[in-house]
Amino acid sequence: MADPVAEAMSRHPTPEGLVYQYGTAGFRTKSEVLDSVMARCGLIAALRSRALKGKWVGVMITASHNPPEDNGVKIVEPMGNMLQEEWEILATAISNKQTPEEVSQYYQEIAEKYRIDLSSPARAVVARDTRASGARLLAAFLDGLTKGAGAEVKDYGFLTTPQLHYMVRCLNTEGTPDAYGTPTEKGYYEKFGAAFKNALRGKKPSGSLTVDCANGVGGPKLAELIKHLPPKEEALEIFVVNDNVIKPESLNVECGADFVKTNQRAPPSSKAGPGDRCCSLDGDADRVVYYFKDSNNMFHLLDGDRIATLVASFLGDLVRQSGLADKVTIGVVQTAYANGAATEYVEKTLKLKVDCTPTGVKYLHHAAEKLDVGVYFEANGHGTVIFSPDTLDTIAKYEPRSPGQKDALDVLRAVIDLINQAVGDALSDFLLVEVVLAHKSWGAQEWLSTYTDLPNRLLKVIVADRKIFQTTDAERKLVKPDGLQKSIDAEVQKVRQGRSFARASGTEDAVRVYAEAATRGEADDLARKVAELVKAAGSA
């Protein structure tokens, strides 16, 4: 009898000499070498669904902020969270099997190990961003999923990554007391549109907001979402720029969150005037950073650290005002990339607990899940707020004792609905920021003045083998190569308020060097010196 798995795999042979790795963002590389990986991810998605008694798992075909010629794939757990680490290892292993027969054998081995009944139902949800290679890679994935593994599929076409996570969570909670929403695009827009209106409670953000969509899938999706928001006269006027999805080769080119964060300047296409609030999404709309130019035409970035501190301070106010302060605690989760001034502001001014984790949303998300209310944003603008089930229950059942408590509680409940708790979602995140600014009666300048960032510089050093750079202490210290950390520490000692670390990139053969110090010159100098040390160690 023919082996459907081997047969499906034979149509997508493995390129020779390549080693694939399921990294922090799934598999991600040049799109032309991903067909075999996509077919195998179809098998893994089916196995994962069967291991979870036929629950829907998600698959997103995207390379986020990477250049247009790249693509990637990541698998999503039933509640919209990241794939379990144990299964990342299985996905990596199956993607590096050489022959169709080896893949089929490994597929059977996984089934035996996890006692998976291969004849039981398996279900997967799939969506993709607007890259030109998406249709071809989707076909390879479906080949593995349906023809190879005999699973059922629901294809949502083009979605932002957070919309895909939302669909997965909705499908798996449908008909339960924890139903997250309606698993359709319209359901997504209606849920977040209504929550935005309820959270504003008649307050209006000052001025307008210009949203740069990185010429990615966020453009058309934001245009749809705007139709479900209150009219601009009542709430917020939004100008959409860089929404050209007709030319996939323009994706992330001189625009988008990564461009703004890395270059510390507005996209060249920006026409925003002094004081105008702007934000940029990335290619799959799961990151957002804010920025503006002041009256002297000076650029100011309001990145993920700023969003985290703004949101944490607002949630702290709401919890106190609604009378829940002794029942609910709020914590902020950061990575080593968080600006030292932001950490100090959270601990000393907001008086909230700060946890530090390795870089990568899965680590932040995991740490935030352990808190009553966990606020996490990477400096790159990727993040969300997670409320524990007990905390949601406490807030839902709490009886306010005064009109003031009731008002605060109503806003808090609407804000919970406005936050996409499945994953960081640029569209819901920027609506949340606008709600906070409206309630505080702040513009971008007032937000900026809450604390002063220490000048910092982020550099990328291309290396032959990133795996030789190994870290500890939430990636803040290198343990390998030997002696490198000692040399970095010696450079840090030479500058005021100095801090620097180097870590291997999760997505490319490079080491990222971060440095901060009391002045711009010292920060730049420190980053350059540490980059030179890394380069020397990488070529030794």
Side-chain angles (χ1 to χ4, degrees), residues 193-205:
F196 179 63
K197 184 180 179 180
N198 294 338
L200 278 174
R201 289 188 68 74
K203 292 194 162 49
K204 191 175 183 327

Side-chain angles (χ1 to χ4, degrees), residues 94 124 146 162 191 224 271 314 326 386 402 467 503 513:
I94 203 166
T146 58
K191 176 180 167 121
E224 279 306 308
K271 306 280 184 287
F314 183 57
D326 57 342
I386 299 176
S402 69
K467 293 195 264 315
R503 60 172 280 276
V513 170

Side-chain angles (χ1 to χ4, degrees), residues 371-419:
L371 303 166
D372 289 356
V373 180
V375 181
Y376 77 81
F377 278 86
E378 289 187 288
N380 65 24
H382 196 173
T384 188
V385 184
I386 299 176
F387 297 79
S388 74
D390 287 352
T391 301
L392 289 172
D393 198 45
T394 301
I395 294 169
K397 290 179 177 164
Y398 186 71
E399 293 289 342
R401 300 200 170 91
S402 69
Q405 282 193 1
K406 184 183 182 306
D407 281 352
L409 197 62
D410 287 346
V411 174
L412 180 59
R413 286 169 178 162
V415 162
I416 290 170
D417 282 342
L418 180 57
I419 294 163

Side-chain angles (χ1 to χ4, degrees), residues 28 62-67 131 252 258 282-284 287 507 512:
R28 195 180 286 182
T62 179
S64 185
H65 60 280
N66 280 39
R131 288 162 196 272
N252 294 319
D258 201 55
D282 64 342
D284 64 338
R287 294 182 184 186
T507 50
R512 301 194 190 280

Side-chain angles (χ1 to χ4, degrees), residues 11 117 220 251 279 318-319 362 389-390:
R11 290 190 284 274
D117 175 0
L251 176 70
C279 71
L318 290 178
V319 163
K362 62 181 178 186
D390 287 352

Side-chain angles (χ1 to χ4, degrees), residues 202-233:
K203 292 194 162 49
K204 191 175 183 327
S206 67
S208 61
L209 177 68
T210 299
V211 185
D212 152 31
C213 296
N215 293 322
V217 68
K221 301 311 179 188
L222 175 55
E224 279 306 308
L225 176 60
I226 288 170
K227 296 176 189 171
H228 293 80
L229 300 179
K232 62 186 181 189
E233 297 75 29

